Amino acid sequence: MTMLAADREIERLMALHPKGFDLSLDRIRRLLVRLGNPHERLPPAIHIAGTNGKGSCAAFSRALLEAAGHTVHVHTSPHLVNWNERYRIGAEGGGRLVGDAVFADAIARVAAANRGETITVFEILTAVGFVLFSEHPADAVVLEVGLGGRFDATNVIRRPAVSVVMPVSMDHEAYLGDRVELIAAEKAGIIKPGCPAVIGAQEHEAALDVLVETAQRLGAPVSVYGQDFLAHGEHGRMVYQDEDGLMDLTPPRLPGRHQFTNAAAAIAAVKTAGFDITQETADRAMAEVSWPGRMQKLTQGRLVELAPPGAEIWLDGGHNPGAGLVVAEALAEQEEKTPRPLFLIAGMINTKDQSGYFRAFKGLARHVYTVPVRFSDAAVPNDELAARAAEAGLSAEPVNSVADALMLLAATWHGSEAPPRILICGSLYLAGAVLADNGTPPQ
């Protein structure tokens, strides 16, 4: 089979089953029983929830484990360009995205086991991940939660090696609640009785209280950022500290000071899961980690060629106010080191707080080009998004595409200034479309 066959299987599923989320574990448990409970035949699992940073934590966890010589499966969502990005199969010398024939076969087997009963596509694809990971040996598996935690399809794992909750903030209020403590309670649902937990850096005290109280109530040994482990920058290095001592490390390859705290949570999680992480291992992981679509620097490709000569182009799929803050902080750090005028090319969907995202860039971005987002029924029209950016205090105008924005900027650029710094942002749908159009999809 080819990837086209896998795409056909998924398109058939999407035609048969409801779109979106229907938070419950009953359907996937029924399906997993028919499949022989593959989720109970997995290697030690690092289970990661959170509003922001869970994808980065997954990337750091994989890098740490592979740098230590371990094989590791990774489940993440959503994908950026191709569906098989969601499943990285552990292998000696580094994991590989699942092959097309293996992927299509697993989808067909899981769909057959479901027998046409009501279920969501995400639940079927989560079951596909469990089947794939149970049929290929590995030393560990990293599982990223899709939405929430308590009723997320990945939360059928009964005894994770460690549960990790990354920063919690407002997002998906329609599903998870309209107060940060309610959202934290949903994320805390991945913490299991007696199983260790790691709590990443939290910006809201109310969220931290809920997470710690949940762990204590369940008798789960808990390590908390800022109390049991932490990281900070010092003399151009990253210093990680826990009860075992200090590690003096290369700063993470992923840009932004927030990645120090994300990396720290991953180091704590991998160690808590029972894997030995030396300073040499951690240093190599920081230098090698990659996470496409999250503060990814684009240096070549079809779209890059349309930008003003010498432009610095960043791509980030963060899409809520919390993500806006950390990305803006990362770009402010870049501005301190190498001043350049900042322009945003933004596309968003209507389930997100668009003005809240843009407010993080007030006083930092010179201008915003707003663009439509393909492949999403919830895309905000570009003229409406420009109005939301203006409400946040930014200069903004709608254009028809990322390519048009880059060409417009190139045509109006004054050579007397330093080449611009461009951030393409606001949605993972947009990030995926940009990587596809640029000819640089994740490998």
Side-chain angles (χ1 to χ4, degrees):
M1 290 185 183
T2 65
M3 188 58 197
L4 182 60
D7 282 345
R8 282 200 302 268
E9 293 285 352
I10 292 172
E11 287 176 3
R12 186 173 63 83
L13 292 176
M14 296 184 79
L16 287 172
H17 301 293
K19 293 182 179 180
F21 299 92
D22 185 4
L23 299 179
S24 167
L25 296 179
D26 294 338
R27 295 177 298 273
I28 191 167
R29 283 176 173 151
R30 176 198 69 213
L31 175 57
L32 291 170
V33 167
R34 293 177 181 172
L35 292 165
N37 291 315
H39 62 300
E40 296 182 354
R41 301 193 302 275
L42 301 181
I46 297 172
H47 197 192
I48 306 171
T51 306
N52 295 304
K54 61 182 184 288
S56 294
C57 182
F60 280 118
S61 296
R62 175 173 74 88
L64 288 159
L65 288 162
E66 291 184 345
H70 299 293
T71 55
V72 53
H73 299 320
V74 185
H75 170 273
T76 56
S77 65
H79 61 280
L80 294 173
V81 180
N82 297 310
W83 287 92
N84 64 340
E85 295 168 30
R86 297 178 180 227
Y87 314 95
R88 181 174 291 274
I89 306 299
E92 294 292 338
R96 300 289 184 272
L97 299 183
V98 63
D100 300 337
V102 172
F103 185 28
D105 175 69
I107 297 170
R109 285 187 285 140
V110 171
N114 187 61
R115 302 171 191 167
E117 296 194 34
T118 300
I119 199 166
T120 68
V121 173
F122 182 78
E123 288 165 338
I124 286 186
L125 292 176
T126 301
V128 167
F130 291 142
V131 167
L132 290 169
F133 297 157
S134 69
E135 293 177 349
H136 295 81
D139 300 320
V141 58
V142 175
L143 294 173
E144 180 190 345
V145 165
L147 173 63
R150 183 163 60 112
F151 291 121
D152 185 75
T154 63
N155 203 31
V156 294
I157 301 295
R158 293 191 294 180
R159 302 287 300 174
V162 63
S163 300
V164 188
V165 183
M166 297 300 286
V168 175
S169 61
M170 300 302 294
D171 199 15
H172 296 296
E173 291 92 336
Y175 293 101
L176 305 179
D178 58 1
R179 301 198 313 274
V180 72
E181 56 267 37
L182 296 178
I183 295 175
E186 293 297 323
K187 310 288 186 185
I190 70 167
I191 300 173
K192 302 300 192 301
C195 297
V198 167
I199 309 301
Q202 301 296 322
E203 59 180 292
H204 299 286
E205 195 70 29
L208 178 61
D209 290 344
V210 168
L211 298 172
V212 172
E213 288 168 5
T214 301
Q216 292 174 341
R217 174 170 50 82
L218 295 173
V222 61
S223 296
V224 179
Y225 183 88
Q227 299 176 23
D228 303 292
F229 66 96
L230 55 85
H232 65 274
E234 187 173 305
H235 305 304
R237 303 282 290 174
M238 181 182 111
V239 178
Y240 170 84
Q241 182 176 0
D242 61 17
E243 62 180 7
D244 296 327
L246 297 173
M247 291 185 186
D248 179 16
L249 304 172
T250 298
R253 184 167 171 242
L254 304 182
R257 190 58 57 95
H258 63 290
Q259 296 296 2
F260 284 29
T261 57
N262 291 341
I267 295 171
V270 172
K271 291 177 70 173
T272 299
F275 296 92
D276 182 37
I277 297 298
T278 65
Q279 175 160 317
E280 180 184 6
T281 294
D283 197 68
R284 186 162 60 252
M286 295 304 105
E288 295 177 355
V289 65
S290 66
W291 190 226
R294 283 76 168 183
M295 284 305 289
Q296 178 181 355
K297 191 173 185 179
L298 302 181
T299 58
Q300 60 182 2
R302 292 188 292 266
L303 289 178
V304 172
E305 293 172 359
L306 301 177
E312 182 181 292
I313 304 176
W314 297 90
L315 176 67
D316 188 82
H319 44 242
N320 54 49
L325 285 170
V326 296
V327 172
E329 180 183 325
L331 289 169
E333 291 176 10
Q334 296 286 339
E335 175 66 13
E336 288 180 10
K337 296 175 184 175
T338 311
R340 291 172 179 247
L342 175 64
F343 292 80
L344 306 188
I345 301 174
M348 299 188 74
I349 60 176
N350 60 22
T351 59
K352 306 303 176 184
D353 179 0
Q354 300 120 43
S355 294
Y357 179 88
F358 286 126
R359 274 194 293 272
F361 297 92
K362 185 177 181 180
L364 184 63
R366 179 178 293 188
H367 191 66
V368 183
Y369 298 101
T370 56
V371 298
V373 176
R374 305 199 309 264
F375 314 125
S376 174
D377 297 335
V380 178
N382 56 349
D383 56 346
E384 182 180 325
L385 189 60
R388 300 291 84 76
E391 287 175 0
L394 301 177
S395 166
E397 67 177 294
V399 295
N400 291 328
S401 67
V402 171
D404 284 352
L406 292 169
M407 288 189 291
L408 180 59
L409 186 54
T412 57
W413 190 249
H414 302 291
S416 58
E417 287 191 277
R421 179 171 287 122
I422 303 167
L423 172 67
I424 305 173
C425 61
S427 170
L428 284 170
Y429 290 106
L430 180 65
V434 166
L435 290 174
D437 293 347
N438 195 48
T440 53
Q443 299 299 316

